[in-house]
Structures are given as C-alpha cells and as structure tokens.
C-alpha cells in the first residue's frame, strides 16, 4: 500500500468504529465500572520506543472505546452534558481536519466570522446591544475572565503596576460553582475574599444578605469588586435573582458577572427565559453551549457588555509583532483572548444552530424541563423517595428515604444514599451524580441528554427504589 | 428516512468531505486570501430561526471548507504548527464521539490513564523523577500556571488572603512570547514587573543581564518570583541557556519555569536535546504537542517537578462535593487543573505516539531541522536574500535585500518585505509569517509541517525572489 492508500484505509476503519459506537449505544452498558488496574491489565498503555504505525493507533482506538463511558447512552445523566449531536460532532471533525488557530482573520477567515456571528447572536439574545466576546476554554475560564474584566474596569492601572488583591472582595451564592474560588486565587484576591452569600430555601442568592455583606466589606475598608450571579447552579439548578442583584450592583458600582454556564439556554425558551430576568443589566456573562445545548466539550462563550474592557484586559497582545499586524486589528479575535493558539470551537455550535434554529433550541430546552418535571413527579409519587429541593430547571435532587417504616428511623441516610449511588453505578446501567445539599447526601440526575425519555426515567426510578430496598433488606 | 438512517447518511457525507479535503490539499491553493466581505457575500453566516436540519449543517460544512485555509497544504509554513497527522486526527474524532470530561476517573477512566501515561513519559524525558502534570488549554495557559505555582510556592498563604502583586517580579527574555505579559496581568503582578532581559546576538537570554536585573529588583526592595526561560522563541527559535539560568534561579531561590511550547520536542533527538541542557533543573515546564509534534490544536502539557504544589494551587477543588468524592482523589485529574469541564486532549497524542514511537518523534524532529538547514542554505546562497539570524531550530529568519545594486541602497527594506509578504500571500501559493527582529521586518517560514520537502523550499525561495525583484522593478 502507498502511504496515501494506507491513510485512507485507516480513516475508513476509524469511521466504521465511529458508526458502530453510535449504533451500539443503548444496547450496551453505560460504563464498565472498572478500576485502574482492571484497565491496566487489558490495555497496553505504555508508549512504544519504535512506532507501531497506524495499526498500533487503531488498536489504541479499540482499547479506548472499549473502556470509555458511553456518554451518548440514554441512561447517562450524570454531569451537565451528555448525548450525541450529529451536526455538532461533524463540526468537531471538520474543525480537526481543517484545523487552524483563532488568533488572526488571515489564518482563520471563515471561522472568525462564524465565531463572531455566534457571539453577536448570543449577545443579542442576552440583550447586550453593543456586546461582544469570545469563546473561552470553559465556564471556569469564563468566570475568571469576568472577574479579571471587573478588576481591570475597577483599577485599569493595575495592568501596568500590579494589584494588591488583599482588599478586593467578590460575592457569590453559597451554592455557586467552585470556579469562583479558582478565579479568586488566580487573580490574587484569595479565597477569604470570596463571600459566599447565603441562599433561600431553593438555593437562590439572598439579596438582603448580599446587601449586608457589601456593608460589612465597606466597614472593613475593603472594596466590593464583583458579584457573580449563578444562572443554574450545579446541584439544584437554582437561578439567582439577576434583576434584584443588578440593582444592588449598580447602586454600589460593583461589576456583575453572570455564570450561566448551565442555565444560559433558558433564554431560548418563552417559558423559561424568565429565570434570567434582568440579565441585560449584567456586565458580563459566560454561557456554555457544551452543556444543555449538547455541543461537544468545550464550547463556552464569554460575552461582555462593554467590549472595550475585554480588549484592554487583553492588551498584552500589543507585544506580538510576530502574530498581529495592525491592518487587521479589528478582525483578529486574538485581541480578545487570553489564549494564543486557540481551537475552532465555533463551527460545531454554528452547525448545530443551523440544524436546529432558535426554534429547535427552544424545543430542546422545553423538552428537557418537561422531562425533569416528569422525573420530579415520579419522585414525589414514590413513597420511598424524597424530593430534596424544589425543581426549577433540569436538575432533580432527591434521595432514597424509606422513613415510613418504623425500623428505618435509625438509618444513616447519607451513607445509604452514597451506597445506593455506588450500587447503581455498579449495575453499569445508569450514571447519575451524587452530591450534597447542606448536610444531606442526595442523588442528582440531570436532563441534558437528547436520548433521555419517559421510559428511561421510569426505569431509573424503579432501579433506584429496587437497590434502596435491597440495601435496607440486607442491613 | 428514519432519524437513524438520516444521521448515518449525514455522517457518510461528512466523511466523504474529510477524505476529499485531504486529497485535494496540494492540488489547491493554500488559501483564498479573501476579505470578510468576500466571504459574507458567498456564505449565509446568519443563524436561522427555524432549523434547516442536517442538510443545513452540510451546506455549512461545504461553505466552511471552501473558505478555510488549507493548513495541511505543504506550502503552509506560517505558524508553529501545520500539516496533517492521520493518527492524531483520528484521536480528535474519537474524543469527540466518545466525549467525556477529564475531571474524574469515573467519567473518563481510560482517558485519565492515557493522560497520566503521557505526562509521566514526558516528565521522564524532561528528567523530573517525581514529576506530574496535566494537559492545559495551551502554552499561554501553561506559562500562566507555571507563574501561579511559583507564586503559590513563594507565598502559600496568599491563596487564602490574596496577594499584593505589586512587588513581585518575573524575568523573561526580551524575545519571549507575549503570554508572559498576559500571565503577569492575570495573576496581578502587572506588566511593569515583567523584566525583559536582553538577549545575545542569537536571541538567547543574557545571563549576566539576568543577574544584574535580579540585583536591581532586590535593591528596589521587590521580590524576584519567577524566571521563564524560553526553549524555542517564536521568531528566531532561540533556546535560552537553561543550565546557566537554573544555577542563577537556584542560587537566588527563584522559581524557574521553561516555556518549551515550541522547542520541547528537541528532547526526542540525540542531536538536538542539547538545546535544552539543564531542563531537569527547572521547576515547571510547558510543552505543546500541537506544535512540532503535529497533533491538532490544543494539546499542551504542563509538567511540574513537585506535583504537590500544583495540587495545592488547585485547592479550590476541595469545595466541589458535587464532583469529587474522596475515594478517588488521587485518580481524579480535576484536582490538578484550573478547568472544570475539560476535553480529552490526551488521546490524539497517545495515538500519534503509538504510531510513531520515540524513534519516530526523533526522526520527525531531525528531519524538520534538516529541512530548515536546507532553507537556510538556500537563503545564504541567494544574493538577494539576507539571513537575519543564526538558525538554531526550525525557524529561518531572513529578508529580501537586493543591496548589491547601487540604486537599491535607498530602499525601505521594512516596507519592501512587508509588501513582499502580502504579495506572496496574494499568490495564494504560500503562507509564511512576517515578523520583526529589533527594528527589522523579516520573513519567517518555519518547518512544522510533514508535507514540507526540499522542492517546496526551492519553490518558496524562488517565489520570494521573483516577487522581490518585481517589486523593485516596479518601484
């Protein structure tokens, strides 16, 4: 075989594997529940000194697929993403074969326009009339960038002189994502300056407490820098009241960033957009298309009301004479990014959006929330299950709690539910998340997978009850 | 057609396009040299309200490919990456279809082991006996993470209290990458605290100057925090003398990070590993597999000698009860990352490594440098071209300079070479980089594309001379 033929044969073999992986999904187990040593025993992980050619690569692919989690399986409801989108997958394939880097228009001409089209549309949906932004490396990174823009806006000279971060304070809900701590550490304000504002009974930031915390900061002689409101918390799917928070932020001159990594897609839905009422009053927002919108990881938008601040924050790009030339300055998206080399993450979203349209996104969102409502109802109707939080979005938080029976009153429910989740995983039939609400261990399936159906949810609930009952019986 | 059939037909159409894109490479132009309005006139960029189905997505793919740069074309020698690797491309395809997120072993079991295998092997090659690390979102991000680890190592309590960055100083060569400024701004030490140490005539950091700069910092009462040595500068491909710098860093208790994004692959080569002599003395390093090693963007390793510091720097993950459970703590790579959701970037490198082996990487590196030597020789032998820097790696820096002719002594060579690069791009036959060395505009093709051959380089040089001569004649 010539080299070219060999490549073609290899690629054909790869494509065959892609198609059979997709076909086998629901006929197979969600995962194999293996330990590292299980895998090590079966797979030659080590890297060879002498190459094994494309044959070796193909063997690697077979090993990889065999031992991977079927995240496209309908019973995969663990993280805030899952399932398969053909158009978005095709976008990844094309982005890989026609790869480029998003720094300059010259090297990524249509990709630049595609990304700007998406950003400008998302900006419009948010309600930022002159907004702009960039795709980042994920929600954590987008939150960090929001905080960085807040810092730059507050203290622009700090870019030159450095910043004393010890007196800068940020506010998040007590149920916010851990990336707030990451961002605080990275930009140098420290974990102690992350004020976790307590939440109401449904997990939403308490605005009275927020005002009190700001007062405390001021009394301490510190500077309130940034509020991060969460639209769709990780565990409960709670939406902080943006309009009220924005009023407080505005009154106190504090930057408002919205972490809508998980919840942003509600804006497509006439029914659910209300959850983010007031988002147009924020200063910046991050919104992951790789979560509810089902685009492969990573596809995360950072959008800012005043793009000048983002460009200033990325002012370091002025030094890169080897990359940017002044005649294309406005076109080169590298001027709005903390990355230099950057993948084309826009194409997959553009293709999925072409396939679905705004109407398709709305339908997807409404459908997911309806399924979550159905699951909520199953939980409420099942005596041995206890709903642990009001359902507001596609997260359903509950636990197994057979408390009606006398004997069961002494059960350690946290231990029981942890065990239950392990046992459920061990069946290899379902993957859902285990988490905490306050001191309680809960189970938290989410609906973010187009394969999930009423039947899947029926089966999930009966499986959980079966395992719970067995654990109780065995006790 | 049922939905499943429709998806299969669609995917087949996508794969056909992949194969024809690969086949047509060298028969086509490198790029179309279009303006944004050229593209806007031909492509429906806007996102539809009503979905257009997979047909709409397919149209989008055709548009995208038509207007993209052929970065796999043999005449593409512009950025520090290019060309096509079938095994690595297959890795991207499989990572997309069997997608997961790298935070936990449970969700990414084999991907976790694959990534650790790669990191541990790279660590071994570097000479860190207990090193560990993580794939990041690129060299810029890796440099930032190195700086962050330096800060944490110097002042661990800062993670809690915040940091006064105004007195922390870092040192880079005057020819280092602009990400040093980005990182300094992000972590809050500011651009003014980035000391650009002058370089020798070949673009390497001057160690005497480095020592003087450290003295100045101390005299000013500031703290020398971190030195970033560059292994393979963007423009000239210069390698800072790591062993000497490490001695200075060690003597002064300063963290040494090595930016080997571009040069790291030299470590595979018996001939060229010498360029990074002393790298085992560094504290951390970033090394991009998506540059010389030809893996699709992004595949960037951050490796640290003392992994405990990286884990401490990512201590925010302790807050994520919804993600990490204590029983798999050592296995969950999320504890070493600033990202939460993180793509599988390891598979593509693992497959390429299986295909090539260490021996194949060495051959690739040696071959690229030989081609660069050949290009250097062509430049030196061509009277109207002027080599602008000693060639040390796969970068060749030169300019068109017909200075032998009397009449030409008044030519503005910078303007001429800028024009020349524009004209060369306008032929659509080649893409090379334009850059500066000190005040001089230079041309900088790099060899980082497996398609480049002696013939390609012959043609490049004759094309440059032809265009230069025409510009002179037209003047």
């Amino acid at each position: 075989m010539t080299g070219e033929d060999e490549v073609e044969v290899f690629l054909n073999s790869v494509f065959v594997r892609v198609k059979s992986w997709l076909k086998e999904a629901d006929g197979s187990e969600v995962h194999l529940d293996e330990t590292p040593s299980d895998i090590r025993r079966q797979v030659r992980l080590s890297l060879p000194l002498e190459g094994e050619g494309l044959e070796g690569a193909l063997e690697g692919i077979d090993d990889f697929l065999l031992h991977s989690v079927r995240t496209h399986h309908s019973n995969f409801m663990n993280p805030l993403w899952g399932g398969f989108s053909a158009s978005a997958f095709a976008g990844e394939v094309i982005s890989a074969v026609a790869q480029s880097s998003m720094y300059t228009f010259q090297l990524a001409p249509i990709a630049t326009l595609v990304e700007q089209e998406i950003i400008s549309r998302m900006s419009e949906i948010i309600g930022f009339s002159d907004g702009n932004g960039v795709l980042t490396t994920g929600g954590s990174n987008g939150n960090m960038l929001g905080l960085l823009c807040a810092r730059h806006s507050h203290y622009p000279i700090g870019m030159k002189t450095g910043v004393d971060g010890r007196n800068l304070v940020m506010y998040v809900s007590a149920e916010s994502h851990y990336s707030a701590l990451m961002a605080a550490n990275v930009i140098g304000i420290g974990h102690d300056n992350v004020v976790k504002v307590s939440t109401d009974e449904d997990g939403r930031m308490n605005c009275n407490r927020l005002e009190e915390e700001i007062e405390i900061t001021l009394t301490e002689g510190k500077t309130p820098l940034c509020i991060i409101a969460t639209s769709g918390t990780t565990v409960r799917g709670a939406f902080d009241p943006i309009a009220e928070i924005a009023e407080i932020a505005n009154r106190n001159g504090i930057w408002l960033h919205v972490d809508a990594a998980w919840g942003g897609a509600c804006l497509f839905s006439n029914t659910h957009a209300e959850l983010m009422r007031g988002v147009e009053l924020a200063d910046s927002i991050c919104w992951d298309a790789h979560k509810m919108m089902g685009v492969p990881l990573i596809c995360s938008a950072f959008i800012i009301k005043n793009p000048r601040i983002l460009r200033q924050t990325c002012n370091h790009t002025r030094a890169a004479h080897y990359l940017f030339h002044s005649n294309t300055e406005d076109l080169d998206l590298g001027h709005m990014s903390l990355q230099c080399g950057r993948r084309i993450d826009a194409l997959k979203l553009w293709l999925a959006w072409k396939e679905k349209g705004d109407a398709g996104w709305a339908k997807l969102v409404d459908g997911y929330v309806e399924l979550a409502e159905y699951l909520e109802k199953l939980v409420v109707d099942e005596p041995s299950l206890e709903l642990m939080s009001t359902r507001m979005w596609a997260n359903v938080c509950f636990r197994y709690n057979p408390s009606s029976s006398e004997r069961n009153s002494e059960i350690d429910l946290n231990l029981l539910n942890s065990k239950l989740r392990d046992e459920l995983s061990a069946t290899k039939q379902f993957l859902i998340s285990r988490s905490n609400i306050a001191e309680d261990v809960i189970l938290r399936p989410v609906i973010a997978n187009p394969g999930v159906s009423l039947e899947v949810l029926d089966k999930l609930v009966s499986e959980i009850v079966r395992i719970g009952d067995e654990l109780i019986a065995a006790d």
Side-chain angles (χ1 to χ4, degrees), chain A:
Chain A
M1 272 193 297
T2 69
E4 194 175 303
D5 286 345
E6 198 197 343
V7 167
E8 174 141 7
V9 169
F10 170 74
L11 291 180
N12 285 338
S13 308
V14 172
F15 297 151
V16 164
R17 280 155 177 80
V18 167
K19 287 190 274 184
S20 74
W21 171 262
L22 291 174
K23 277 203 178 124
E24 78 183 17
D26 286 1
S28 65
E29 291 158 328
V30 179
H31 73 149
L32 301 185
D33 201 36
E34 294 174 304
T35 64
S37 33
D38 292 337
I39 298 175
R40 285 184 196 287
R41 264 197 301 276
Q42 298 167 69
V43 179
R44 285 191 306 125
L45 286 164
S46 65
L47 299 161
L49 294 176
E50 291 295 330
E52 299 168 1
L54 293 176
E55 220 171 293
L58 207 58
E59 185 195 299
I61 289 172
D62 287 332
D63 285 337
F64 188 86
L65 287 174
L66 181 61
H67 298 281
S68 287
V69 175
R70 271 80 177 146
T71 59
H72 60 317
H73 195 295
S74 301
N75 296 0
F76 181 75
M77 291 175 269
N78 193 100
L80 305 177
W81 50 268
F84 176 74
S85 156
S87 54
F89 166 70
E92 279 294 67
V93 172
I94 299 297
S95 297
V97 76
Q99 75 154 338
S100 195
S101 175
M102 297 298 301
Y103 25 56
T104 62
F105 175 80
Q106 186 169 46
L107 289 191
I110 187 165
T112 296
L113 300 184
V114 161
E115 179 166 319
Q116 280 285 287
E117 185 67 29
I118 286 167
I119 292 287
S120 116
R121 184 57 168 282
M122 289 172 104
S123 202
E124 195 178 290
I125 290 169
I126 291 164
F128 288 172
S129 53
D130 300 310
N132 202 343
V134 71
L135 297 183
T136 68
T137 60
S140 294
N141 191 246
N143 290 338
M144 199 269 276
L145 190 51
L147 188 59
L148 195 62
C149 287
R151 196 189 69 188
H152 185 77
S153 168
H154 167 70
Y155 189 62
I157 192 72
M159 166 173 278
K160 245 176 92 64
T161 60
V163 176
D164 184 354
R166 295 170 301 177
N167 291 310
L168 300 175
V169 178
M170 65 186 273
Y171 309 84
V172 294
S173 103
E175 305 198 13
S176 65
H177 188 257
Y178 73 99
S179 56
L181 290 175
M182 178 280 290
N185 178 43
V186 169
I187 81 156
I189 75 178
H191 293 179
D192 286 354
N193 286 318
V194 180
V195 174
K196 295 188 170 175
V197 181
S198 61
T199 55
D200 68 16
E201 69 281 9
D202 291 330
R204 289 177 293 234
M205 187 187 284
N206 181 323
C207 290
N208 292 333
R209 283 298 303 153
L210 173 63
E211 295 220 61
E212 288 165 21
E213 293 288 2
I214 292 169
E215 273 309 309
I216 293 171
T217 300
L218 293 170
T219 310
E220 287 173 345
K222 292 186 166 190
T223 303
L225 180 68
C226 181
I227 303 167
I228 299 185
T230 306
S231 292
T233 56
T234 310
V235 178
R236 303 212 242 181
F239 286 71
D240 290 337
I242 302 180
E244 290 77 352
I245 294 171
E247 194 278 316
I248 297 168
N250 187 44
R251 181 152 36 81
N252 290 277
I254 306 175
W255 187 277
L256 175 57
H257 173 79
V258 176
D259 175 358
W262 169 227
C266 79
L267 294 171
F268 287 111
S269 158
N270 286 332
T271 319
H272 303 293
E274 178 68 13
L275 289 166
M276 287 180 67
R277 190 173 57 82
V279 63
E280 71 284 358
L281 303 170
D283 295 294
S284 59
I285 175 169
C286 86
W287 173 357
D288 286 355
H290 66 248
K291 291 198 166 88
M292 189 170 275
M293 293 166 78
V295 167
L297 280 81
I298 299 290
C299 189
S300 179
F302 173 80
I303 300 173
I304 187 166
K305 181 179 272 169
N306 180 354
R308 200 173 42 84
I309 292 172
L310 177 58
R311 286 182 181 272
Q312 286 169 353
T313 302
C314 298
N315 186 42
H316 55 275
T317 59
R318 304 285 154 232
H321 55 81
Y322 40 82
L323 184 58
F324 300 113
H325 302 147
S326 56
N327 51 334
T328 52
E329 183 166 325
D330 289 345
L331 294 168
D332 294 340
L333 300 187
H335 288 300
M336 291 195 291
S337 177
L338 300 180
Q339 295 181 262
C340 175
R342 181 159 72 88
R343 295 181 84 241
I344 301 170
D345 283 333
L347 177 62
K348 53 192 170 187
L349 177 53
W350 190 61
L351 295 180
W353 208 316
K354 273 182 173 284
E355 182 204 352
K356 294 193 168 64
D358 289 22
W361 293 129
K363 200 174 144 196
L364 178 135
V365 169
D366 290 343
Y368 283 172
V369 177
E370 277 166 31
L371 284 167
E373 282 167 357
Y374 179 78
L375 175 56
E376 175 190 15
K377 192 171 175 306
L378 291 180
V379 168
V380 170
D381 291 350
E382 169 55 55
S384 58
L385 297 183
E386 179 183 7
L387 192 71
M388 295 297 284
S389 181
T390 309
R391 190 212 49 74
M392 295 152 284
W393 187 229
N395 313 42
V396 184
C397 299
F398 62 95
R399 65 178 174 184
Y400 177 81
N401 181 3
S403 56
S404 51
S405 149
E406 191 60 30
R407 170 172 168 273
N408 294 332
S409 60
E410 286 152 38
I411 292 171
D412 179 337
L413 287 174
N414 285 354
L415 192 63
L416 177 64
N417 280 277
S418 294
K419 268 192 195 163
L420 197 159
R421 196 265 175 182
D422 288 346
E423 290 291 317
L424 182 67
S425 298
T427 67
K428 307 176 189 176
Q429 299 305 311
F430 285 94
L431 268 174
I432 63 169
S433 176
R434 181 195 106 195
S435 187
N436 293 346
I437 294 180
E439 301 303 311
D440 297 322
V441 168
I442 59 142
L443 307 173
R444 190 225 55 186
V446 288
I447 317 292
N449 177 340
V452 177
S453 63
L454 302 180
E455 294 68 38
V456 165
L457 296 175
D458 288 337
K459 210 176 145 221
L460 170 66
V461 166
S462 70
E463 195 65 2
I464 288 173
V465 172
R466 181 189 66 75
I467 294 170
D469 290 351
E470 279 182 18
L471 285 171
I472 291 290
D475 199 31

